[in-house]
Amino acid sequence: DRRTGRVPYQPGRLDAGVAARLEYLAADEKAETRRLRTRELIGLLYEADRHLYSTPAMAFELSEWLRLDQFDFRRDEDGLTERTLCLAPRHVRMLRAFLTPRAYPVLRRLGMAGRLAKMSLGTLDYEGEVVVLLSRPGCSESEQVALGRVLMRQWLTLATLGYTTHPLSQILDAEVTKQRLARLLDVDDPSRLVNVARVGRPT
């Protein structure tokens, strides 16, 4: 129901009324939302994806969610297919080869992580919107649960209005890109960054 999609989106920013609704939902928990243009995050996404593919534990966690084999019995149940990720056939072959345990160390040394990181840059190379959810300063663990509710309400509100969200959590998973995003938003404490997602209407 929350309509998550990594597909191409129509160009355009959120209108003021939609942005105000997201702010209103965040304000209930003394949180806030910030908005960025998609192209502002292209460099951060590249660095975050390169970090993901270069870190064995993260790369193989990703492989557990991929369903790139047409005969995988889990393909219709969950996970990420090539259609979900908008991957061209050559990118599917690259990703499958890279995440083979025996080949991974060699291909990582040859710089394949950087080549794979470039595959997703097109998702931000248009005039669109990225929404960042921030907790209040000094947020406690119990308040983190409330922030999860805020996030789900925002996603469901967007879905009701015909929007789709594409989480970019890898930017927060890599400490370097998380800190760079905090500086971009003029936020002193990077731990306040809760969620980063591209928002738009699917083409």
Side-chain angles (χ1 to χ4, degrees):
D1 289 341
R2 66 185 173 96
R3 298 196 183 187
T4 296
R6 292 163 173 80
V7 297
Y9 292 171
Q10 298 171 16
R13 311 277 318 265
L14 289 177
D15 66 51
V18 175
R21 290 181 70 170
L22 298 182
E23 280 287 353
Y24 175 79
L25 291 168
D28 273 353
E29 297 297 337
K30 299 182 176 62
E32 61 179 299
T33 57
R34 303 278 184 89
R35 299 158 59 205
L36 295 166
R37 296 178 185 275
T38 48
R39 289 193 177 102
E40 291 183 82
L41 292 183
I42 288 179
L44 286 184
L45 181 62
Y46 172 76
E47 290 299 330
D49 276 347
R50 193 172 66 169
H51 175 266
L52 184 156
Y53 290 123
S54 299
T55 307
M58 295 177 73
F60 288 112
E61 181 182 352
L62 171 64
S63 72
E64 290 297 313
W65 285 99
L66 293 175
R67 306 288 182 260
L68 303 180
D69 186 341
Q70 299 289 332
F71 301 102
D72 190 330
F73 71 92
R74 303 167 300 174
R75 190 175 167 86
D76 294 328
E77 296 174 4
D78 65 6
L80 303 169
T81 67
E82 69 283 354
R83 288 187 64 196
T84 305
L85 297 170
C86 294
L87 295 178
R90 67 186 182 90
H91 291 150
V92 173
R93 291 192 294 271
M94 287 170 58
L95 194 53
R96 289 176 69 175
F98 182 70
L99 294 175
T100 303
R102 188 174 291 181
Y104 177 80
V106 176
L107 294 177
R108 185 178 62 158
R109 284 196 300 271
L110 292 174
M112 182 69 87
R115 291 180 62 189
L116 289 172
K118 290 179 180 178
M119 294 189 320
S120 59
L121 298 185
T123 60
L124 295 181
D125 193 13
Y126 72 104
E127 184 61 23
E129 186 92 31
V130 172
V131 176
V132 184
L133 176 64
L134 293 93
S135 68
R136 71 168 184 80
C139 181
S140 67
E141 279 191 34
S142 61
E143 289 173 312
Q144 292 280 346
V145 176
L147 282 170
R149 290 194 291 266
V150 169
L151 180 58
M152 188 58 71
R153 287 175 188 140
Q154 287 185 335
W155 276 341
L156 293 173
T157 297
L158 288 166
T160 300
L161 298 172
Y163 291 93
T164 299
T165 54
H166 170 189
L168 301 169
S169 55
Q170 63 269 52
I171 292 175
L172 302 184
D173 291 338
E175 192 59 35
V176 171
T177 51
K178 184 177 184 177
Q179 291 185 16
R180 284 177 58 192
L181 178 58
R183 288 196 295 272
L184 182 63
L185 294 170
D186 198 23
V187 173
D188 292 334
D189 182 4
S191 69
R192 292 184 59 203
L193 304 178
V194 176
N195 184 71
V196 183
R198 181 171 65 110
V199 177
R201 298 184 187 275
T203 57

